[in-house]
């Protein structure tokens, strides 16, 4: 009887179960949980050098709390996010040296919004924009006829400006006023020839004298010493050092400057022609393809006969045994522009052949370094079997049209002017591509190769207030360390705080 009674209750129980799903609401099912929906945009912009990138936002239909996380994306590793949706860069992005996957300053990351049960994603693009970082560039001279070089005047904010054809001006950057000092005569201006470089004697007792780098009418390179005369009279030539340069009108070099040791350093090209056909750069008896070091005698009339130039005894071949006594470094192709940095090192921009442009450095206490041309172009073999003991470049870049490429390096300066963001940066560029770059000077170390990928491309930062920098032929400094850029098209520009 007990078993029969239990069976009789089953239909009633099943009926109750079938009617219990509504929980007293008349049978309406509970709505399924929905994922949060993003309300913040899928793209945003931010200025470089900061870390705060974006604030994610979303809503949840059920009013559940939402937490945010990073779900993926090509540049996910560059970001961090809080549970509340504050997205930030792990390291502040640099517009001039982008680290996103495409290298286009658009960083892509996928965000996730979750209510604990369901989640949705948003593909976000963060575009990093440029900040000029306190850099302003002012055009301080225009209408020049192929200017080639600028150098400062001790005790003055004025600078000297050279023109390829031989004119030497004194320029006041504050006003743009310029005065013709004199015209260097007996020049050839064919091809890369002309008036190319200048250096003032560093000893205040020799303030009436200066050095000129030019190419004579017959094509030879001449290092001329001039003396200022009384007002109204042009400077006069005191002495000449002649470097034969037969044949080709290119690869003359063109830079000269006094080092911290008081000696004059001069960059001389290999004599021209593709591939250094005369093998001058590797010939220690030739002054072509070299850095020369010269003692410009302070008192040339102290001896029995006037002596204006002498080879320093600390040069690698002081008595002419084994090489030319004025040679200090070998194996260069065309060291057209160079400079001494505040650290006392010489920074050399050596123009390449067909594939590589290079930066070399040396100290005044390193006589006899061989930088490898023509065995090597940069670090790449060029011709012959390279011997041991060569000094490789500290940086190099490929020929091409990319943001870290070019075809004719213009060596620059380690910045020591008033713009904080440029302090300690080596500023250099390329004549063909028009790119202007910076890199930390302390990163240029002999025996290490600083990659071109690490260059900061400064074209936007160096956009001038007037005109364009289209054919960069030289950088320059004034006595206070202000940086100048020379465009052979006719203008001079000055870097200022902005």
């Amino acid at each position: 009887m007990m078993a029969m009674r239990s069976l009789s209750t089953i239909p009633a129980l099943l009926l109750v179960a079938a009617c219990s799903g509504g929980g007293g609401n008349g049978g309406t099912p509970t709505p399924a949980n929905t994922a949060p929906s993003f309300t913040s945009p899928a793209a945003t912009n931010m200025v470089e050098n900061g870390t705060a990138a974006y604030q994610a936002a979303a809503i949840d239909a059920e009013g559940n709390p939402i937490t945010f996380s990073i779900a993926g994306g090509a540049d996910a590793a560059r970001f961090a996010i809080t549970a509340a949706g504050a997205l930030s860069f792990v390291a502040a992005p640099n517009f001039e040296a982008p680290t996103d996957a495409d290298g286009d300053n658009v960083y892509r990351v996928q965000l996730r919004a979750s209510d604990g049960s369901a989640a949705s994603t948003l593909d976000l693009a963060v575009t990093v924009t440029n900040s000029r970082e306190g850099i302003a560039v002012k055009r301080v001279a225009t209408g020049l006829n192929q200017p080639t070089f600028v150098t400062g005047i001790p005790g003055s904010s004025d600078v000297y400006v050279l023109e390829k054809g031989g004119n030497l001006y004194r320029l006041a950057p504050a006003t743009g006023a310029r005065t013709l000092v004199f015209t260097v005569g007996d020049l050839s201006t064919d091809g890369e020839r002309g008036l190319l470089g200048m250096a003032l004697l560093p000893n205040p007792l020799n303030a009436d004298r200066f050095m000129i780098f030019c190419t004579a009418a017959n094509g030879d390179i001449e290092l001329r010493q001039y003396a200022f005369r009384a007002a109204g009279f042009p400077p006069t030539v005191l002495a000449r050092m002649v470097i034969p340069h037969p044949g080709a009108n290119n690869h003359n070099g063109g830079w000269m400057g006094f080092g911290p040791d008081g000696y004059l350093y001069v960059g001389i090209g290999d004599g021209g022609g593709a591939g250094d056909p005369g093998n001058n750069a590797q010939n220690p008896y030739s002054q072509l393809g070299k850095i020369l070091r010269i003692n410009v005698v302070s008192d040339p009339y102290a001896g029995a006969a006037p002596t204006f130039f002498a080879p320093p005894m600390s040069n690698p071949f002081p008595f002419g045994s084994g090489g030319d006594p004025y040679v200090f470094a070998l194996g260069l192709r065309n060291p057209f522009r160079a400079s001494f940095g505040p650290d006392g090192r010489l920074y050399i921009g050596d123009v390449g052949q067909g594939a590589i442009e290079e930066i070399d450095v040396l100290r005044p206490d390193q006589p006899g370094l061989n930088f490898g041309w023509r065995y090597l172009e940069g670090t790449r073999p060029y011709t012959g079997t390279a011997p041991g003991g060569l000094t490789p470049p500290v940086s190099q870049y490929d020929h091409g049209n990319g943001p870290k490429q070019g075809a004719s390096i213009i060596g620059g300066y380690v910045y020591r002017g008033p713009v904080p963001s440029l302090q300690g940066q080596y500023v250099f560029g390329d004549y063909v591509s028009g790119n202007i770059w910076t890199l930390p000077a302390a990163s240029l170390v002999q025996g290490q190769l600083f990659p071109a990928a690490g260059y900061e491309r400064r074209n936007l930062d160096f956009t001038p207030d007037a005109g364009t920098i289209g054919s960069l032929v030289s950088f320059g400094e004034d006595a206070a360390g202000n940086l100048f850029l020379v465009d052979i098209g006719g203008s001079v520009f000055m870097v200022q705080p902005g």
Side-chain angles (χ1 to χ4, degrees), residues 199-219:
L200 308 180
L201 273 63
N203 189 333
L205 297 177
N206 302 134
D208 62 330
R209 289 189 283 153
F210 59 96
M211 297 294 303
I212 285 292
F213 187 123
C214 63
T215 52
N218 65 356

Side-chain angles (χ1 to χ4, degrees), residues 70-332:
I70 293 174
D75 303 302
R78 304 293 176 189
F79 293 95
I81 195 169
T82 67
L87 183 72
S88 62
F89 278 91
V90 174
N94 185 335
F95 179 85
E96 289 80 17
T99 56
D100 61 289
D102 296 330
D104 61 357
N105 276 306
V106 181
Y107 293 76
R108 303 185 184 279
V109 60
Q110 187 180 78
L111 305 184
R112 183 175 186 265
S114 172
D115 64 4
S117 298
S120 61
T121 58
L122 174 72
D123 291 324
L124 175 67
V126 181
T127 299
V128 174
T129 59
N130 186 55
S131 163
R132 295 192 63 166
E133 301 181 41
I135 301 168
V137 178
K138 178 183 178 182
R139 186 172 67 182
V140 294
T142 189
L144 293 158
N145 184 13
Q146 293 188 295
T148 55
F149 190 65
V150 163
T151 192
I153 301 173
S156 174
S157 60
D158 290 357
V159 294
Y160 289 124
V161 180
L162 312 184
E163 287 183 336
K164 187 174 185 285
N167 289 334
L168 189 157
Y169 292 94
R170 181 169 180 142
L171 170 69
T175 64
R178 63 178 181 264
T179 304
L180 180 65
V181 177
F182 83 118
T183 299
V184 178
D186 188 30
L187 296 183
S188 169
T189 58
D190 182 40
E192 296 176 5
R193 295 169 175 163
L195 176 57
L196 303 176
M198 181 181 186
L200 308 180
L201 273 63
N203 189 333
L205 297 177
N206 302 134
D208 62 330
R209 289 189 283 153
F210 59 96
M211 297 294 303
I212 285 292
F213 187 123
C214 63
T215 52
N218 65 356
D220 288 345
I221 296 168
E222 289 193 0
L223 313 180
R224 300 180 187 175
Q225 186 174 154
Y226 284 83
F228 289 108
R229 299 171 64 192
F233 293 91
T236 56
V237 177
L238 299 178
R240 304 171 192 249
M241 183 171 171
V242 178
I243 302 167
H245 192 284
N249 62 11
N250 61 349
H251 299 191
N252 303 287
W255 172 83
M256 55 168 46
F258 284 91
D261 53 9
Y263 294 134
L264 180 69
Y265 291 72
V266 186
I268 306 293
D270 66 9
D276 188 11
N279 197 29
N280 294 315
Q282 289 298 322
N283 179 0
Y285 290 96
S286 171
Q287 293 180 345
L288 299 173
K290 308 294 191 302
I291 297 293
L292 307 183
R293 184 165 71 168
I294 303 166
N295 176 18
V296 179
V297 179
S298 293
D299 186 357
Y301 303 104
T307 302
F308 291 89
F309 310 122
M313 294 302 293
S314 53
N315 278 3
F317 315 110
F319 300 103
S321 176
D324 185 278
Y326 288 101
V327 167
F328 185 73
L330 303 82
L332 293 157

